[in-house]
Amino acid sequence: MTERELPTWCEPLLVRVRSARAEDFTRLRTPRNGGRDSAVLILLGEDPEHGPDVLILQRAATLRTHAGQPAFPGGACDPEDTDAASTALREAYEEVGLDPASVTVLAELPRLWIPVSNFVVTPVLAWWHRPHPVHSREPAEVAHVARLPIAELVDPANRVRVRHSSGWIGPAFQARGMLVWGFTAGVLAALLDMAGWSRPWSQDRVLDLPPTPPPPPTVGSDELTGPAAT
């Protein structure tokens, strides 16, 4: 599949992200050195019934960090990964069984810093040209996988802001029983604006996030989501 075969709704976004800067996604300056290199996959697809969508997973409630939080598939880079796209595709396969051959990588976005975990994340934008069923391959890490329709994400009724106990306030989306917030929501909000898909919405609705439960004693910490990247 070539870029000429992309759906027309995808083309304005692809043109815009080619000139995107980190400042378009976050107020935080990415450090020149340090931080753990990582990548996430922003996978756009199209459903015959609901139209364009994006793949989102929900972290398991028992994880040590970011328990229960929706996120893009992704994780830390491994030594054998050749680039950010290979990291994102490998992680998506490990987490939800995504076939890399079903995906066309479109662009790597600017590297973004998440201070709370000290990850430096490269979001990888991709087109799911051959969608197939996906599911949690590791229930202890991923509780749920969903394709969230863009039409629902941009619906003003589904857009809110959330307040973290630290005082941080940022954008969020309510869709398909998920509350998408933090790094994931910040990147999504920026991309919706860039594509020209956003609709005016009231920023007066602010929800307090529930307290984070105590972490279990033995779980890894390669999760990337967090509040401090927008």
Side-chain angles (χ1 to χ4, degrees):
M1 183 174 183
T2 67
E3 288 185 10
R4 289 190 298 273
E5 296 171 304
L6 291 175
T8 56
W9 54 262
C10 193
E11 293 173 1
L13 174 60
L14 188 55
V15 170
R16 178 63 183 84
V17 297
R18 285 174 175 153
S19 60
R21 305 167 302 161
E23 292 82 358
D24 296 322
F25 297 91
T26 177
R27 298 186 299 270
L28 301 173
R29 185 182 299 274
T30 302
R32 292 182 179 272
N33 300 301
R36 189 174 182 186
D37 287 334
S38 50
V40 295
L41 185 67
I42 305 172
L43 186 60
L44 301 177
E46 187 166 15
D47 179 85
E49 182 178 355
H50 302 291
D53 57 34
V54 61
L55 186 71
I56 298 289
L57 58 83
Q58 187 160 21
R59 302 290 182 194
T62 54
L63 285 175
R64 187 175 186 84
T65 57
H66 315 303
Q69 192 172 339
F72 300 117
C77 298
D78 281 354
E80 62 269 22
D81 294 337
T82 57
D83 53 21
S86 65
T87 296
L89 291 171
R90 173 184 56 76
E91 286 283 341
Y93 170 75
E94 294 174 358
E95 291 178 326
V96 304
L98 180 72
D99 178 6
S102 71
V103 175
T104 299
V105 173
L106 301 176
E108 291 186 6
L109 306 186
R111 298 166 73 244
L112 307 174
W113 183 43
I114 304 180
V116 67
S117 55
N118 200 31
F119 278 107
V120 177
V121 186
T122 300
V124 177
L125 184 66
W127 162 241
W128 203 2
H129 63 258
R130 193 171 69 244
H132 61 84
V134 291
H135 64 281
S136 171
R137 297 189 68 203
E138 295 289 344
E141 296 184 4
V142 177
H144 180 61
V145 186
R147 295 175 62 176
L148 301 185
I150 298 298
E152 294 185 19
L153 294 175
V154 300
D155 185 339
N158 294 333
R159 300 201 65 171
V160 298
R161 295 197 299 159
V162 294
R163 182 187 294 110
H164 190 265
S165 58
S166 65
W168 170 89
I169 297 178
F173 302 86
Q174 296 173 310
R176 303 293 167 109
M178 288 185 174
L179 176 64
V180 183
W181 63 282
F183 173 85
T184 305
V187 172
L188 272 177
L191 291 176
L192 294 176
D193 289 344
M194 291 180 186
W197 299 335
S198 293
R199 297 163 55 188
W201 59 284
S202 172
Q203 299 196 20
D204 294 336
R205 293 177 60 204
V206 180
L207 305 179
D208 288 324
L209 289 168
T212 303
T218 55
V219 177
S221 58
D222 282 348
E223 301 82 29
L224 296 175
T225 50
T230 57

